[in-house]
Amino acid sequence: MTSGEFPRAFFLRPTVEVAKDLIGAWIARRQGDAWYGGRIVETEAYLGAADRAAHSWAGRRTPRNEPMYMEGGHLYVFMVYGMHHCANVVTRDPEIAEAVLLRAAEGPPGTPAGLLSGPAKLCSHLGITSAYSGRDLLAGDDLRLLRGILAPPELAMTPRIGVDYAGEAKSWLLRFIDLNSPAISGPRRLNSAAKILISE
DNA sequence: CACATGATCGCCT
DNA sequence: GGCGATCATGTGG
């Protein structure tokens, strides 16, 4: 696995592929001269108009989710529960409103365990707010995604978290985790219903 | 560990 | 008006 920035084409691929391949990638945030961040260990795919759990379900298009309709590689950040933010990487071509939710990352050694374990905690501690919604990840200079430099992770897939309202889509296996990471969100969320190993 | 609850407000119907 | 792509805390087993 090589290191460095992802090219635009990476984000234009099928959303599930992007969600898988972002496991093991790094998210980096600049604060002055220093960079902070972590290794992404948990993502979820949101599949646009056909996906009842997605904000773009049934073609919904509002000021809030407008970034989902942008070209892959942009950021879609929204607020939930009036107090938390969630960050998504938009995928595919313009007008195809799909995205990958960044759910958890592992901080460098020495950082408190669980600091980035959860979509809202990740945003909070990396300072990602609604101000970043609609931004192009390939254009900014203070928030970047970088290819992983470690061995490819062992992946598992499970249903997504917190989408019980989504009918049939709630059981779709669109959550991807690094099996060996201690930083997965929630209380050892593996043992619930469906879990499948993926052979890389 | 599993589950339940409250906080809190922007966004959409 | 109602409802979350969450989290911290509290209870009980």
Side-chain angles (χ1 to χ4, degrees), chain A residues 36-37 103-108 110-126 182-183:
Chain A
Y36 300 86
R103 286 197 57 91
E106 270 176 35
T111 58
L115 193 72
L116 307 175
S117 298
K121 290 159 74 177
L122 188 152
C123 280
S124 165
H125 291 109
L126 293 183

Side-chain angles (χ1 to χ4, degrees), chain A residues 45-47 49-54 57 158-175 193-194:
Chain A
Y46 285 85
L47 302 184
D51 181 0
R52 196 162 179 175
W57 176 59
T158 82
R160 292 170 292 183
I161 305 296
V163 296
D164 290 347
Y165 58 87
E168 180 179 288
K170 79 174 178 220
S171 59
W172 293 355
L173 301 177
L174 294 177
R175 173 172 174 254

Side-chain angles (χ1 to χ4, degrees), chain A residues 2-182:
Chain A
T2 57
S3 64
E5 304 269 352
F6 290 103
R8 176 76 64 191
F10 173 87
F11 301 105
L12 303 182
R13 299 177 305 144
T15 303
V16 166
E17 296 307 308
V18 177
K20 285 189 206 172
D21 291 343
L22 282 180
I23 302 293
W26 293 76
I27 182 169
R29 171 84 160 89
R30 185 175 64 80
Q31 188 85 306
D33 290 334
W35 286 86
Y36 300 86
R39 185 175 157 278
I40 296 168
V41 295
E42 177 178 351
T43 62
E44 282 177 359
Y46 285 85
L47 302 184
D51 181 0
R52 196 162 179 175
H55 290 165
S56 51
W57 176 59
R60 290 192 164 137
R61 184 167 188 166
T62 68
R64 179 179 67 158
N65 72 5
E66 191 62 29
M68 291 192 78
Y69 290 83
M70 293 178 173
E71 181 179 45
H74 285 75
L75 217 51
Y76 169 44
V77 183
F78 62 92
M79 172 170 279
V80 276
Y81 301 108
M83 60 190 106
H84 299 303
H85 292 279
C86 293
N88 301 256
V89 177
V90 175
T91 57
R92 308 202 62 185
D93 291 321
E95 306 305 315
I96 300 181
E98 304 190 0
V100 174
L101 171 67
L102 303 179
R103 286 197 57 91
E106 270 176 35
T111 58
L115 193 72
L116 307 175
S117 298
K121 290 159 74 177
L122 188 152
C123 280
S124 165
H125 291 109
L126 293 183
I128 302 174
T129 65
S130 306
Y132 281 83
S133 199
R135 281 198 27 183
D136 187 357
L137 276 169
L138 283 75
D141 71 334
D142 63 347
L143 184 60
R144 294 181 181 179
L145 286 182
L146 302 167
R147 291 182 184 277
I149 58 174
L150 306 177
E154 282 190 272
L155 296 186
M157 48 201 267
T158 82
R160 292 170 292 183
I161 305 296
V163 296
D164 290 347
Y165 58 87
E168 180 179 288
K170 79 174 178 220
S171 59
W172 293 355
L173 301 177
L174 294 177
R175 173 172 174 254
F176 302 92
I177 62 177
D178 178 346
L179 268 183
N180 298 314
S181 175

